[in-house]
Amino acid sequence: MSSPHWTTRPEEPTDVEAIRGILLAAFDTPEEADLVDELRRSGAWIDGLSMVAVDAAGDPVGHALLTRCHIDDTPALCLAPCSVLPEHQRTGAGTAATTAVLDAARARGEHAVTVLGHPEYYPQFGFTRASRHGVRMKAEVPDEALMVLALDGTPIPGGTIRYAAPFGDI
Ligand SMILES: CC(C)(COP(=O)(O)OP(=O)(O)OC[C@H]1O[C@@H](n2cnc3c(N)ncnc32)[C@H](O)[C@@H]1OP(=O)(O)O)[C@@H](O)C(=O)NCCC(=O)NCCS
């Protein structure tokens, strides 16, 4: 069950190594860790939208990242990746980091967020199937895995998601 005891804050320069460590531990390959490092160097990076959940000592245990994408020509955000150190998974750290990064995006006046991921995990944040909004991606993916969230009342524009270059041609 999720617990509310995780503190969250935006990534600081000294967190970069720890975030890479979380990503390497959470995923089977270094692909996601390398992706985040590439995104950090890319124009898709938005300061303040890389969020960590930290333990009592202030060390990051969970991470959630929003970077710039477009739905056709409309700017939107891509939520990817979300990761938590295996020993802290299912204790609410992922939910805390994700909720905080979505709140930060809303506060910045962003409207739409896309995510490709576990259909059992993201609906708790309000994500719904992208296909219901006419949103798709170039690659073939299970319909339920591609989801979108309207951060405010603005309707999600239909169209094809154009990801930042580090994601490749998906
Ligand atoms: C997915 C991930 C980020 C979730 O973070 P977390 O801190 O473990 O999740 P939380 O404790 O905040 O989860 C809250 C609820 O979300 C759901 N949930 C969590 N992880 C899930 C998963 N992998 N699949 C399905 N549902 C999940 C559960 O309902 C959970 O509540 P419960 O533990 O009471 O059943 C984390 O488990 C992780 O790093 N997994 C490995 C990497 C990964 O798959 N990243 C996501 C790519 S889309």
Side-chain angles (χ1 to χ4, degrees):
M1 190 55 208
S2 304
S3 54
H5 67 269
W6 296 106
T7 300
T8 58
R9 58 168 172 75
E11 167 186 321
E12 293 168 4
T14 49
D15 295 324
V16 169
E17 279 297 304
I19 290 170
R20 187 169 170 85
I22 295 170
L23 288 156
L24 289 173
F27 291 98
D28 294 338
T29 76
E31 214 172 293
E32 282 79 7
D34 293 344
L35 170 66
V36 170
D37 287 341
E38 274 186 63
L39 284 166
R40 201 179 274 112
R41 294 190 292 265
S42 80
W45 190 265
I46 301 170
D47 284 335
L49 297 187
S50 173
M51 198 66 69
V52 289
V54 300
D55 64 15
D59 296 324
V61 303
H63 176 242
L65 177 65
L66 290 170
T67 52
R68 178 65 67 214
C69 70
H70 291 79
I71 301 174
D72 285 347
D73 291 329
T74 306
L77 293 170
C78 170
L79 176 60
C82 293
S83 56
V84 173
L85 286 176
E87 60 269 34
H88 291 298
Q89 287 178 9
R90 308 302 277 250
T91 65
T95 296
T98 303
T99 302
V101 83
L102 293 171
D103 286 348
R106 192 178 291 109
R108 295 175 66 102
E110 294 285 341
H111 302 301
V113 183
T114 72
V115 70
L116 176 64
H118 302 301
E120 306 85 5
Y121 182 62
Y122 292 99
Q124 64 174 311
F125 305 104
F127 283 93
T128 54
R129 280 187 194 216
S131 59
R132 288 193 204 144
H133 303 268
V135 175
R136 56 202 165 266
M137 55 187 285
K138 278 199 249 171
E140 281 282 327
V141 295
D143 190 61
E144 65 275 15
L146 187 63
M147 295 164 270
V148 292
L149 169 69
L151 288 169
D152 54 15
T154 312
I156 305 272
T160 303
I161 302 170
R162 293 195 292 112
Y163 288 92
F167 284 97
D169 191 27
I170 58 170

